Amino acid sequence: MKPYIITIARQYGSGGKTVGKMLSDRLRIPYYNREIITMASEDSGINAMLFSDERLKPDLLTRLKSRYKSEFPLPSDSSKAYLRDDALFDYQAKIIRQLADQGPCVLIGRCADFVLKGRPDVVRVFVHADPAFCLQEAMKVDSLPEDEVVRKIAEIDEYRAKYYKHHTGHDWYDARNYDLSLNSGVLGFEGVVEEIVQYMEVRSNFQE
């Protein structure tokens, strides 16, 4: 089987992150999620907390001023452009490309499928599930009342979709953006991993 870079977009509660870690272990390749933000912060010199975690933050500076008042070193008007969503996204995209250039890996979210478009060594995956399954999985990690978790799932999926639309111009839910769209509620996490691995094997044979 040829080595591939695997990008995983995922609904909240669908277990996309878990699937990514399982793939990383099975294929013995690196796994990157929030590590991308840390690397982008180190590369750019911008505090990691200023980076968007797949969320558009047009009011970022206003909220920072409110939260930290004069204790937080805010940028001057001439440097605010470096903190805009597009600029912060570009820093992360740079890291994603660098990681892909280093070799096979698993990349979670952050429009990695779009950032790496055109590369023949990329497998683009979208992991989704029905609301009941996502709620069940989210309740395992969120110590909140059920109605609040339901609301949280909807909010996170909404801001991920808006983030994707803003930076790619495409619909996050559109299966045409991906090589595989897999229902973890039907297949289970192991089943999703197996489907991805089998796809890579078939694709490797087809491209030989």
Side-chain angles (χ1 to χ4, degrees):
M1 181 173 65
K2 291 182 179 179
Y4 287 103
I5 296 143
I6 305 163
T7 69
I8 299 180
R10 73 282 181 228
Q11 287 185 292
Y12 188 74
S14 68
K17 185 169 65 174
T18 300
V19 166
K21 289 179 178 177
M22 291 169 67
L23 275 168
S24 172
D25 292 339
R26 176 163 174 174
L27 301 174
R28 298 182 181 179
I29 59 177
Y31 166 94
Y32 300 104
N33 185 12
R34 288 190 59 83
E35 294 85 354
I36 294 169
I37 289 179
T38 301
M39 294 175 187
S41 171
E42 293 172 350
D43 182 69
S44 65
I46 296 173
N47 192 301
M49 69 169 292
L50 297 178
F51 280 87
S52 164
D53 191 14
E54 298 181 88
R55 181 198 302 257
L56 295 175
K57 299 178 180 178
D59 61 341
L60 176 63
L61 295 178
T62 299
R63 288 187 291 105
L64 281 175
K65 287 178 181 178
S66 174
R67 180 175 178 182
Y68 292 97
K69 298 184 171 60
S70 61
E71 298 177 7
F72 193 88
L74 294 174
S76 63
D77 289 339
S78 62
S79 63
K80 285 180 182 178
Y82 294 102
L83 297 180
R84 290 175 183 159
D85 281 305
D86 291 346
L88 294 173
F89 174 78
D90 287 342
Y91 288 124
Q92 294 179 76
K94 175 185 175 183
I95 297 301
I96 288 170
R97 294 188 187 98
Q98 289 177 347
L99 293 173
D101 286 341
Q102 291 174 13
C105 59
V106 177
L107 299 165
I108 303 296
R110 295 169 183 83
C111 308
D113 58 285
F114 178 82
V115 172
L116 301 176
K117 67 178 180 179
R119 288 186 61 129
D121 58 348
V122 175
V123 173
R124 304 169 300 165
V125 179
F126 184 76
V127 180
H128 61 96
D130 62 80
F133 181 85
C134 290
L135 175 61
Q136 170 188 300
E137 292 302 309
M139 290 290 290
K140 294 178 181 179
V141 296
D142 291 315
S143 300
L144 297 169
E146 182 174 312
D147 61 333
E148 291 188 30
V149 176
V150 170
R151 185 162 54 251
K152 179 178 179 179
I153 291 171
E155 289 176 351
I156 290 177
D157 282 349
E158 181 181 11
Y159 73 61
R160 285 178 179 171
K162 288 181 177 179
Y163 181 86
Y164 191 89
K165 180 69 173 181
H166 176 82
H167 291 299
T168 73
H170 298 297
D171 182 354
W172 186 57
Y173 292 101
D174 191 338
R176 291 173 295 182
N177 298 322
Y178 313 101
D179 300 302
L180 294 171
S181 180
L182 300 170
N183 188 330
S184 58
V186 172
L187 297 172
F189 300 150
E190 289 282 358
V192 172
V193 170
E194 192 60 36
E195 287 291 327
I196 295 171
V197 171
Q198 288 185 15
Y199 170 82
M200 291 191 292
E201 290 175 348
V202 171
R203 181 162 151 182
S204 293
N205 293 332
F206 180 75
Q207 292 177 336
E208 285 181 354

